[in-house]
């Protein structure tokens, strides 16, 4: 069984899906009760799609091993490394994260629709998008929930950030994009702790992010829903 200290180091591998099935289950149990790892998982949640976008953005200037097959190579190397040393896996995950936050991927992932390459950000991807994306806000008087979404068009769809307050837990929630055609896609999901978000005693709002395979022009609105389908707030766009 993995020690508690080792589990803290597994968050990157968990986000990338590089753990064995039994390790994934063990870490998911750990994650449910560890605020530290939950915060780190949120920071890294955009890693896999951004690695894919990096390969598309840099094109033929990057060798195939560092392009479209980067994640597959990492996965293959990590799988082989489990047979020799646990630290090898952690090294590879750290290398992938370094590419995300320090290499050309930063410019590619944060560039706007015009292909601009702004300077690397010092905040999380979710906060960066909240600061610079196209924002839409709404509140629900019956539930007390207040939400802002920030949008950024990407080649694969829309990058979406959410800031949510006025919600008390414990709850499991999801952000759902509803298209103009009625199509629905889940952007991201999370657990609300008992103290909630944006409330007395817990004034900080939730800030998270994800993506959908719809251009922003095809999205009618977003809904924050509980696991049982209750709508906490809808945000028209």
């Amino acid at each position: 069984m993995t020690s508690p200290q080792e589990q803290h180091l597994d968050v990157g591998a968990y986000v990338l899906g590089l753990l064995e099935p039994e390790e994934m289950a063990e870490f998911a149990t750990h994650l449910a009760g560890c605020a530290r790892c939950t915060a780190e998982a949120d920071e890294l949640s955009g890693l896999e799609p951004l690695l894919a976008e990096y390969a598309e953005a840099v094109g033929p200037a990057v060798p195939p091993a560092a392009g479209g097959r980067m994640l597959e190579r990492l996965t293959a190397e990590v799988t082989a490394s489990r047979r020799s040393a646990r630290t090898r896996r952690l090294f590879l995950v750290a290398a992938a994260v370094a590419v995300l936050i320090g290499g050309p991927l930063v410019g590619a992932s944060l560039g706007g629709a015009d292909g601009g390459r702004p300077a690397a950000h010092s905040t999380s991807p979710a906060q960066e998008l909240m600061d610079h994306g196209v924002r839409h806000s709404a509140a629900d008087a019956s539930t007390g929930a207040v939400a802002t979404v920030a949008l950024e068009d990407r080649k694969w769809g829309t990058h979406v950030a959410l800031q949510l307050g006025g919600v008390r837990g414990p709850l499991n929630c999801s952000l759902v994009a509803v298209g103009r055609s009625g199509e629905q896609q889940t952007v991201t999901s999370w657990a609300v702790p008992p103290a909630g978000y944006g409330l007395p005693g817990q004034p900080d709002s939730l800030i998270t992010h994800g993506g959908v395979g719809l251009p922003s022009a095809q999205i009618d609105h977003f809904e924050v829903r509980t696991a049982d389908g209750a709508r906490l707030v809808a945000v028209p766009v």
Side-chain angles (χ1 to χ4, degrees):
M1 178 177 293
T2 305
S3 71
Q5 186 59 36
E6 287 178 318
Q7 284 184 322
H8 288 312
L9 301 178
D10 268 342
V11 62
Y14 176 79
V15 171
L16 285 173
L18 301 181
L19 299 176
E20 297 288 357
E22 61 272 17
E23 291 177 311
M24 290 289 285
E26 181 181 345
F27 187 80
T29 300
H30 168 77
L31 192 65
C34 180
R36 167 183 162 184
C37 287
T38 299
E40 291 182 10
D42 180 62
E43 291 294 317
L44 299 177
S45 62
L47 179 60
E48 186 168 355
L50 290 178
L51 282 172
E53 185 173 346
Y54 168 62
E56 181 180 6
V58 299
V62 175
R69 300 189 62 81
M70 174 185 289
L71 188 58
E72 289 144 36
R73 284 178 56 84
L74 281 171
T75 302
E77 290 181 36
V78 169
T79 299
S81 76
R82 290 194 187 103
R83 301 188 182 98
S84 58
R86 183 182 186 84
T87 55
R88 170 74 171 161
R89 181 181 70 203
L90 299 177
F91 173 79
L92 290 170
V93 172
V97 174
V99 170
L100 172 65
I101 64 175
L105 175 59
V106 173
S109 66
L110 296 182
D114 59 357
R117 300 175 73 87
H121 62 272
S122 59
T123 58
S124 70
Q127 185 62 61
E128 179 75 13
L129 183 52
M130 288 304 306
D131 291 341
H132 301 292
V134 179
R135 294 162 60 104
H136 305 271
S137 300
D140 190 298
S142 63
T143 66
V146 179
T148 296
V149 295
L151 311 179
E152 181 182 43
D153 281 316
R154 297 291 185 86
K155 294 179 180 180
W156 45 261
T158 305
H159 186 196
V160 183
L162 169 70
Q163 182 170 350
L164 178 67
V167 176
R168 188 176 301 279
L171 289 173
N172 288 308
C173 297
S174 297
L175 178 65
V176 178
V178 181
R180 300 191 184 282
S181 65
E183 178 182 358
Q184 299 185 16
Q185 293 187 20
T186 298
V187 179
T188 186
S189 59
W190 62 94
V192 180
Y197 294 110
L199 294 169
Q202 177 54 275
D204 292 339
S205 300
L206 167 75
I207 298 180
T208 186
H209 71 128
V212 291
L214 291 171
S216 61
Q218 295 181 17
I219 300 173
D220 180 73
H221 67 279
F222 291 88
E223 295 184 5
V224 176
R225 300 176 183 170
T226 64
D228 60 6
R231 187 175 72 181
L232 298 179
V233 61
V235 183
V237 298

